[in-house]
């Protein structure tokens, strides 16, 4: 249905916002599932942002100097899908909108990075998009310091809801942003006073504006449906010297005929009758997913608004002496000869065979990598000296210059991991961050989302077992290896010595489509790689470290500091007449990617199989089978020196020998 007015008249900002409202309620109604209230409530704010402030070009979603728009309140995904469709993103078709939340669609229930161009990060678990934005903003400031404002000069805009601000990670995120004075970061808070259960006051009475002010943010409150106030506030935000919060007082489900302001619009379709009445109230006479021609033209013009600026930027890039390096870094490609110094060091270590903690080995790897891979940005959650994540002489990343490459994250494991995801998604940097492995419990939600998105973020997790000793069971991880290995697309490395640690660092850097977790020991461990190899043996996830003397009758599997125990047990068994082979297993995930023939050759079918790891057994069944033996932990640890703990918990070479003999 059309009329002459819909073709010729220039639409008002409200009419353009109404297009978002109608597309949102239509998409959710078609799916019979979703969240129409937030997109309808924030449509006015989003319209002003996209039409007047956001720097982007819909024809080039990958433009490196575009502004980043993050929908932290990811349940309102129809807001971003509607915006992408209206502004002319090629992939955001009418068909995709009408296929919202269905199998194979790019319009997933919550925005997913990699599915739809224009979606900068996967959101939905509330608060994480806000925390990601800190990493985006930090990466922008660092790269601007490195390459200059001619190549890097953009903002990060976030729409967050009450749920994002209630989640604990929001506190970690906003205090980081305030500390680092990230003035190109603006959070638009959908201050609608509603959650799924009802009024926010049911569960929260926080002065959010006061909280942000206390964290060092500039704060302004506006009517989120007043175009003039929205425009003035967004302009104000661009002039501040610190991050900005704009509290946008809105009505959830704005425009709905009878349900405006109701929590019932939060997480359910409005229903056919309400939608029909809403269309009437908005004077919207078009069928579902159909747009008035004048509104469609106006929105398409918005999508082209940044083309001139993008072309000027491309000209500056082409003329820049840094063009090749900038392009390579943004693509995520490593420099030529990135591993030359590391390879030379590994060749030396095979000869010198140092006995040291693998956390020290990791630090040694970084000593060789840091200069060769200038995109590396490291940090630690206040455990720098313990995690060995600092390379001597590295400048600290800090305001006002941001050129440094080491971040003092503070005691914020979740915030650190989420910001690392944001850094990796932004591009141009490769983030790594350290903490104790037991505190991966705090950062796990961000590690999981990083794995879901396939980002290269490297989590340095030291003090990886009861071997950390006297700090006791609160700090001794026992179930954490199994928990991390349960996350799809996460590479979990537990190297046995310095050479394996360096091999694992290479693999973490080479894998551009998966995050990595390096499980590293506090206590010293003997060198096990004493023969030079022509390939990265850890790349296959598991490999035969020691062959049996004759036809093998037993196969021992081990990781990390338990590999020397397995080697000692094999010596005992061989001396007693039982030919025994030892397999080092630095990475389960890479091993299970190998072909069946290789896996069979490593598993040693037809032999007694026993695994040893100072952790719980879960996950080892694929190596040892139903009848195999396992020497490890069955409960929590205790406070004592490492060597005492290993003896008291029965993680010894003698226990491994006994487990083999019991099965011969």
């Amino acid at each position: 249905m059309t009329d002459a007015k819909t073709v010729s008249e220039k639409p008002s900002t409200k009419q353009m916002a109404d297009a978002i409202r109608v597309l949102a309620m239509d998409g959710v109604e078609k799916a019979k599932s979703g969240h129409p209230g937030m997109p309808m409530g924030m449509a006015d704010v989003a319209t002003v942002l996209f039409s007047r402030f956001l720097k982007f070009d819909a024809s080039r979603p990958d433009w490196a100097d575009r502004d980043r728009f993050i929908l932290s309140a990811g349940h309102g995904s129809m807001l971003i899908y509607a915006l992408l469709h209206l502004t002319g993103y090629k992939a955001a078709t009418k068909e995709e909108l009408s296929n919202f939340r269905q199998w194979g669609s790019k319009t997933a229930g919550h925005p997913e990075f990699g599915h739809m161009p224009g979606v900068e990060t996967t959101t939905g678990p509330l608060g994480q998009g806000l925390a990601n934005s800190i990493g985006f903003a930090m990466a922008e400031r660092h790269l601007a310091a490195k390459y200059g404002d001619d190549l890097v000069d953009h903002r990060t805009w976030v729409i967050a809801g009450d749920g994002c601000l209630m989640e604990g990670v929001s506190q970690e995120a906003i205090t980081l942003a305030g500390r680092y004075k990230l003035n190109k970061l603006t959070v638009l808070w959908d201050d609608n006073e509603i959650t799924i259960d009802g009024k926010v006051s049911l569960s929260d009475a926080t002065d959010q504006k006061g909280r942000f002010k206390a964290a060092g943010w500039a704060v302004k409150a506006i009517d989120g449906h007043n175009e003039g106030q929205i425009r003035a506030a967004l302009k104000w935000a661009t002039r501040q010297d610190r991050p900005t919060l704009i509290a946008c007082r809105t009505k959830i489900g704005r425009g709905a005929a009878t349900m405006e302001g109701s929590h019932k619009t939060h997480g359910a379709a409005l229903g056919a009758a309400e939608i029909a009445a809403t269309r009437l109230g908005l004077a919207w006479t078009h069928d579902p997913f159909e747009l008035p021609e004048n509104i469609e033209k106006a929105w398409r013009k918005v999508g082209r608004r940044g083309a001139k600026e993008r072309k000027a930027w491309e000209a500056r890039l082409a003329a820049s002496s840094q063009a090749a390096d900038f392009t390579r870094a943004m693509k995520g490609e490593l420099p030529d000869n990135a591993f030359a110094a590391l390879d030379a060091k590994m060749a030396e270590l095979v000869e010198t065979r140092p006995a040291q903690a693998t956390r020290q080995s990791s630090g040694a790897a970084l000593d060789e990598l840091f200069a060769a891979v200038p995109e590396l940005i490291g940090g630690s959650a206040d455990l720098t000296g313990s995690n060995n994540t600092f390379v001597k002489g590295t400048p600290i990343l800090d305001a006002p210059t941001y050129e440094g490459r080491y971040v003092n994250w503070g005691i914020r494991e979740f915030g650190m991991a989420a910001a690392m995801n944001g850094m990796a998604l932004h591009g141009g940097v490769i983030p790594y961050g350290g903490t104790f492995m037991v505190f991966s419990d705090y950062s796990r939600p961000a590690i999981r989302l990083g794995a879901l998105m396939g980002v290269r973020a490297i989590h340095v997790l030291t003090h990886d077992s009861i071997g950390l000793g006297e700090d006791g069971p609160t700090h001794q991880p026992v179930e954490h290896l199994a928990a991390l290995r349960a996350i799809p697309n996460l590479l979990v490395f537990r190297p046995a010595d310095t050479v394996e640690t360096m091999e694992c660092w290479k693999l973490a850097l080479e894998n551009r489509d998966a995050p990595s977790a390096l499980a590293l020991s506090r206590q010293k461990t003997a060198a096990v790689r004493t023969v030079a190899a022509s390939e990265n043996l850890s790349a296959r996830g598991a490999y035969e470290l020691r062959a049996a003397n004759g036809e093998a009758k037993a196969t021992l599997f081990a990781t990390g500091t338990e590999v020397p125990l397995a080697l000692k047990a094999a010596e005992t068994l061989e001396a007693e007449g039982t030919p025994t082979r030892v397999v080092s297993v630095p990475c389960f995930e890479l091993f299970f990617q190998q072909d069946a023939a290789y896996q069979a050759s490593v598993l040693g079918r037809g032999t007694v199989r026993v695994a040893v790891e100072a952790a719980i057994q879960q996950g080892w069944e694929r190596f040892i089978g139903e009848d195999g033996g396992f020497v490890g932990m069955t409960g929590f640890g205790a406070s004592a020196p490492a060597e005492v703990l290993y003896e008291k918990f029965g993680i010894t070479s003698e226990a491994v020998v006994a487990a083999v003999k019991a099965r011969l």
Side-chain angles (χ1 to χ4, degrees):
M1 294 177 283
T2 62
D3 55 56
K5 289 183 179 180
T6 64
V7 175
S8 60
E9 288 184 355
K10 181 180 178 180
S12 66
T13 301
K14 179 188 178 301
Q15 288 172 320
M16 293 176 70
D18 285 344
I20 297 173
R21 294 185 172 99
V22 173
L23 288 173
M25 68 182 187
D26 285 347
V28 174
E29 179 67 20
K30 175 87 181 312
K32 303 298 182 187
S33 173
H35 301 75
M38 191 282 276
M40 296 175 74
M42 284 296 281
D44 297 310
V45 174
T47 298
V48 175
L49 172 63
F50 271 69
S51 64
R52 295 184 176 274
F53 290 90
L54 192 74
K55 184 173 74 170
F56 75 108
D57 179 358
S59 70
R60 284 291 303 274
D62 60 345
W63 174 22
D65 201 37
R66 69 192 181 278
D67 282 0
R68 271 46 170 198
F69 171 67
I70 297 172
L71 185 65
S72 186
H75 56 275
S77 56
M78 275 304 300
L79 175 66
I80 192 168
Y81 299 146
L83 287 163
L84 297 177
H85 172 67
L86 290 165
T87 54
Y89 280 75
K90 190 175 181 180
T93 62
K94 179 175 69 174
E95 290 72 27
E96 286 292 347
L97 264 64
S98 66
N99 205 29
F100 177 53
R101 289 188 163 219
Q102 305 309 302
W103 176 262
S105 71
K106 294 181 174 66
T107 49
H110 292 83
E112 293 187 33
F113 172 75
H115 283 220
M116 173 73 77
V119 173
E120 302 285 3
T121 181
T122 297
T123 56
L126 293 177
Q128 287 207 54
L130 173 58
N132 291 163
S133 74
I134 311 307
F136 277 92
M138 291 176 75
E140 188 276 341
R141 289 289 76 206
H142 173 74
L143 293 173
K146 181 177 181 179
Y147 294 108
D149 289 344
D150 279 353
L151 296 184
V152 184
D153 184 14
H154 54 266
R155 301 187 62 85
T156 302
W157 303 88
V158 184
I159 286 182
D162 289 295
C164 294
L165 303 193
M166 285 190 205
E167 289 289 355
V169 72
S170 71
Q171 182 67 12
E172 298 183 27
I174 69 171
T175 53
L176 274 167
R179 167 60 185 82
Y180 288 110
K181 296 180 171 61
L182 300 174
N183 67 306
K184 293 200 171 185
L185 172 65
T186 296
V187 172
L188 304 166
W189 169 29
D190 180 20
D191 181 16
N192 61 26
E193 301 183 293
I194 292 292
T195 66
I196 288 178
D197 283 354
K199 286 282 188 180
V200 167
S201 58
L202 289 171
S203 57
D204 192 49
T206 302
D207 176 1
Q208 295 290 0
K209 295 186 287 293
R211 183 165 75 105
F212 275 78
K213 287 178 182 178
W217 290 55
V219 176
K220 184 178 284 291
I222 63 169
D223 178 348
H225 303 304
N226 183 304
E227 178 186 351
Q229 289 189 30
I230 298 167
R231 191 185 308 176
L234 295 180
K235 189 173 183 179
W236 164 84
T238 65
R239 295 173 174 173
Q240 302 306 303
D241 61 357
R242 47 189 166 154
T244 47
L245 172 75
I246 302 175
C248 307
R249 178 54 58 87
T250 62
K251 289 187 176 181
I252 194 169
R254 176 73 166 182
T258 67
M259 297 172 68
E260 180 179 286
S262 170
H263 72 278
K264 294 179 181 178
T265 69
H266 188 292
L270 300 185
E274 180 73 9
I275 287 176
T278 300
R279 272 183 151 75
L280 187 63
L282 297 176
W284 194 276
T285 58
H286 288 68
D287 293 331
F289 306 107
E290 296 294 335
L291 298 169
E293 186 176 340
N294 64 330
I295 290 178
E296 185 172 43
K297 284 183 176 180
W299 269 114
R300 291 293 190 271
K301 186 177 180 180
V302 169
R304 296 189 298 270
R305 184 172 55 84
K308 183 177 180 180
E309 193 168 359
R310 188 258 304 168
K311 290 175 182 177
W313 176 87
E314 289 175 343
R316 293 197 301 274
L317 177 64
S320 172
S321 61
Q322 301 181 92
D325 185 61
F326 177 84
T327 302
R328 174 195 60 75
M330 290 303 295
K331 286 182 177 178
E333 298 172 353
L334 297 175
D336 294 337
N337 300 315
F339 301 126
L342 191 69
D343 289 340
K345 189 67 175 178
M346 282 193 286
E348 173 191 322
L349 292 167
V350 168
E351 300 297 327
T352 58
R353 304 175 185 179
Q356 62 183 21
T358 53
R359 62 171 175 158
Q360 294 176 291
S361 303
S362 174
L366 285 169
D367 286 342
E368 307 300 330
L369 288 167
F370 215 66
V373 185
E375 292 78 52
L376 276 170
I377 291 184
S380 172
D382 204 54
L383 291 165
T384 295
S386 295
N387 297 152
N388 293 84
T389 46
F390 181 74
V391 175
K392 187 177 180 180
T394 301
I396 303 301
L397 191 156
D398 201 357
T401 57
Y402 302 100
E403 74 272 14
R405 294 172 59 193
Y406 194 80
V407 182
N408 291 308
W409 291 107
I411 304 92
R412 301 181 179 97
E413 292 86 0
F414 193 176
M416 174 181 71
M420 284 166 57
N421 285 344
M423 285 182 163
L425 289 163
H426 180 281
V429 297
I430 302 172
Y432 70 89
T435 188
F436 287 175
M437 188 172 176
V438 75
F439 301 138
S440 64
D441 280 344
Y442 292 155
S443 53
R444 179 183 173 85
I447 296 174
R448 179 182 186 272
L449 274 194
L452 177 63
M453 293 186 283
V455 301
R456 179 171 49 186
I458 301 170
H459 302 273
V460 178
L461 306 175
T462 68
H463 297 58
D464 67 350
S465 73
I466 60 170
L468 67 87
E470 294 84 350
D471 272 342
T474 60
H475 283 50
Q476 292 167 2
V478 291
E479 77 277 22
H480 296 72
L481 280 168
L484 290 167
R485 287 167 179 159
I487 299 175
N489 198 43
L490 173 65
L491 300 177
V492 182
F493 296 102
R494 189 167 187 248
D497 69 357
T498 303
V499 172
E500 272 199 5
T501 302
M502 292 183 172
E503 287 183 337
C504 291
W505 259 107
K506 287 179 68 174
L507 293 166
L509 287 168
E510 288 171 337
N511 277 276
R512 293 160 59 179
D513 301 318
S516 298
L518 292 164
L520 305 168
S521 72
R522 176 183 185 247
Q523 77 275 30
K524 287 185 178 181
T525 186
V528 300
R529 289 286 292 279
T530 58
V531 178
S534 60
E535 61 179 314
N536 185 334
L537 297 181
S538 298
R540 289 195 164 190
Y543 63 94
E544 185 177 85
L545 178 64
R546 181 194 189 280
N549 185 17
E551 184 177 352
K553 292 185 179 180
T555 299
L556 307 181
F557 302 93
T559 74
T561 51
E562 287 72 74
V563 173
L565 292 180
L567 289 169
K568 186 177 180 181
E571 291 177 6
T572 300
L573 289 164
E574 288 274 6
E576 295 178 358
T578 302
T580 303
R581 51 198 293 272
V582 175
V583 173
S584 180
V585 191
C587 183
F588 281 28
E589 296 76 24
L590 291 179
F591 178 67
F592 293 124
Q593 292 174 15
Q594 307 305 309
D595 60 55
Y598 180 78
Q599 289 187 37
S601 71
V602 170
L603 290 175
R605 301 190 189 283
T607 66
V608 166
R609 288 182 277 173
V610 173
V612 53
E613 185 174 67
I616 64 170
Q617 179 177 336
Q618 186 173 332
W620 278 103
E621 293 79 8
R622 293 182 69 178
F623 288 88
I624 61 177
E626 293 182 4
D627 300 324
F630 181 76
V631 175
M633 297 294 292
T634 57
F636 295 113
S639 296
E643 60 274 15
V644 174
L645 292 170
Y646 272 77
E647 179 185 355
K648 295 296 184 181
F649 285 106
I651 305 174
T652 63
S653 61
E654 292 81 6
V656 175
V657 170
V660 170
K661 287 182 176 180
R663 288 164 176 79
L664 281 174

